[in-house]
Amino acid sequence: MALAVVVTVLAGFGFFFAIGASSIYSPWWVHLHAASMMTWVALFLTQTFLVYRGNVTAHRTLGPIAAGWSAWIVVLGFVITAMDVRTHRVPPFFQPNYFLMMDWLNMVAFGGLVLAAVRLRNRAPDWHKRLMLGAMLNLISVAWGRLTLPFIFDERGIWLVMAILLVGYFGVAMLYDKRTRGAVHPAYFWGAGALVGWVSVSFAIAWTPPVLALTKSLGG
């Protein structure tokens, strides 16, 4: 599943670069965000590989760095999204108000799942690894958005992205649990529920007066 995440990220962002939607001439904060996100993906893959190889000691040693980096990702996500709205760099298939809420709520879901996973790392490793995977699957919605929305050109395409993640990623993980453990681990329902939650709430509140006023204040 970690390899599937990496392939998804490379495909999504590589596609955007190939069609000219991303450029090396982007502002510095865009490059900072890209480098930070790719570092997080590398950390996730490394941590998964260490456990797969049975090197739990190295995994735990690297853990505080990964936890700190996840916090950096959340803070940076809030700031970069606001800067994109302020500088009118919102992708054309999004309304600025929806883009703001979508990204911010995605960061809340990601941060909440990671925080829960970190707190449970010692007493419930079965929860820890599944919550971390759930957090990562919520995060790669941005990669799938790049693979689908240029063709749909409508922010409601996020519902399709959600369906792809629920069936193609969470569904596969749940099926594996069912076949190997006899039951689906409840951590997956938290991860999938977080995905459904932020997608639904972003549509529910994006056009409310407070959000519209905030977007207008950011965008000038």
Side-chain angles (χ1 to χ4, degrees), residues 22-46:
S22 297
S23 170
I24 60 173
Y25 302 107
S26 299
W28 65 268
W29 70 81
V30 176
H31 294 291
L32 174 63
H33 186 231
S36 298
M37 293 298 290
M38 292 306 295
T39 300
W40 169 253
V41 173
L43 281 169
F44 178 78
L45 181 62
T46 300

Side-chain angles (χ1 to χ4, degrees), residues 23 29 31 45 49 86 96 104 110 122 126 135 142 160 177 215:
S23 170
W29 70 81
H31 294 291
L45 181 62
F49 179 75
R86 181 178 296 277
W104 280 5
F110 168 77
N122 292 322
D126 54 325
V142 297
L160 174 61
D177 261 13
T215 307

Side-chain angles (χ1 to χ4, degrees), residues 123-161:
R123 66 177 184 270
D126 54 325
W127 278 83
H128 171 74
K129 63 183 180 181
R130 289 171 175 84
L131 288 171
M132 287 301 299
L133 176 58
M136 194 68 199
L137 295 183
N138 274 268
L139 201 59
I140 65 169
S141 58
V142 297
W144 267 109
R146 283 163 170 78
L147 289 169
T148 57
L149 289 172
F151 301 102
I152 300 173
F153 223 83
D154 190 315
E155 57 209 8
R156 289 171 293 184
I158 292 296
W159 293 109
L160 174 61
V161 171

Side-chain angles (χ1 to χ4, degrees), residues 109 137-138 141 161-162 165-166 170 190-200:
L137 295 183
N138 274 268
S141 58
V161 171
M162 183 188 76
L165 291 171
L166 288 175
F170 280 108
W190 283 96
L195 173 63
V196 174
W198 70 257
V199 171
S200 302

Side-chain angles (χ1 to χ4, degrees), residues 12 20 60 69 72 112 123 151 174 206:
R60 289 176 175 171
W69 202 263
W72 164 247
R123 66 177 184 270
F151 301 102
M174 289 177 175

Side-chain angles (χ1 to χ4, degrees), residues 78 81-82 85-86 90 94-105 155 198 200-220:
F78 271 81
T81 301
V85 172
R86 181 178 296 277
V90 175
F94 289 129
Q95 294 293 320
N97 51 302
Y98 175 77
F99 178 74
L100 188 69
M101 289 299 100
M102 175 192 70
D103 270 16
W104 280 5
L105 289 173
E155 57 209 8
W198 70 257
S200 302
V201 173
S202 62
F203 277 103
I205 69 173
W207 284 269
T208 60
V211 174
L212 291 173
L214 174 61
T215 307
K216 184 177 180 181
S217 67
L218 287 173

